[in-house]
Amino acid sequence: MVNADPARLRQLVQVLLDNALRYTPPGGRVDVEVKPAALPGGVLGFELLVTDTGIGLVEAERPLLFDRHFRGSNARQFRPDGVGLGLPIAQTIAQAHGAQLVLHSRPDGGTQAVLLIAQAETNAAAAA
């Protein structure tokens, strides 16, 4: 369990899935994985990975991907539509939940979105 607004967390995951599906050509692959993770400071949490075999990122553009209205050159070429708000919204939601959202370009092409979010304290742990 995590302490989160379910609607906003769902919106964040939808943005990541929508981007992966939107920018992966037919015949490509999108994988989703959730696993336990140790976060910075030894906090227990979860890692959500959305990995695709799509168009990938231009590494030099990575620092701009969470800027409002920015769309990477690969995205603009592949799909000229879009306004560049999905990732900034996802980043804002992640930050509001104390989570971290990072995008990685994969060497073989494609992108991996990683969301790190802390596990909710259980009543037993909070009482200790």
Side-chain angles (χ1 to χ4, degrees), residues 31-46:
D31 294 314
V32 178
E33 181 180 6
V34 178
K35 58 187 179 180
L39 306 180
V43 175
L44 295 178
F46 299 96

Side-chain angles (χ1 to χ4, degrees), residues 2 16-17 26 43 47-48 66 68 73 80 86 93 104 111-112 119:
V2 297
L16 299 181
L17 290 173
V43 175
E47 181 176 51
L48 167 72
F66 295 115
R68 290 179 59 162
S73 56
I93 294 169
H104 300 286
T111 302
Q112 183 176 64
Q119 178 177 314

Side-chain angles (χ1 to χ4, degrees), residues 105-125:
S105 188
R106 296 168 31 103
D108 58 345
T111 302
Q112 183 176 64
V114 180
L115 176 69
L116 297 170
I117 189 165
Q119 178 177 314
E121 286 189 39
T122 63
N123 288 339

Side-chain angles (χ1 to χ4, degrees), residues 4-103:
D5 176 333
R8 295 291 71 84
L9 198 55
R10 185 178 312 113
Q11 183 181 14
L12 188 161
V13 173
Q14 285 174 332
V15 166
L16 299 181
L17 290 173
D18 181 63
N19 276 1
L21 293 169
R22 180 181 305 252
Y23 297 111
T24 298
R29 184 178 168 129
V30 174
D31 294 314
V32 178
E33 181 180 6
V34 178
K35 58 187 179 180
L39 306 180
V43 175
L44 295 178
F46 299 96
E47 181 176 51
L48 167 72
L49 304 166
V50 178
T51 307
D52 67 55
T53 59
I55 60 173
L57 308 170
V58 174
E59 190 60 32
E61 296 174 341
R62 200 159 62 99
L64 304 172
L65 294 174
F66 295 115
D67 291 353
R68 290 179 59 162
H69 301 293
F70 178 81
R71 294 187 69 229
S73 56
N74 288 354
R76 290 190 312 270
Q77 278 186 320
F78 188 74
R79 294 205 46 169
D81 60 329
V83 294
L85 291 176
L87 289 175
I89 289 170
Q91 179 74 298
T92 299
I93 294 169
Q95 290 171 343
H97 287 83
Q100 181 182 8
L101 178 60
V102 181
L103 300 176

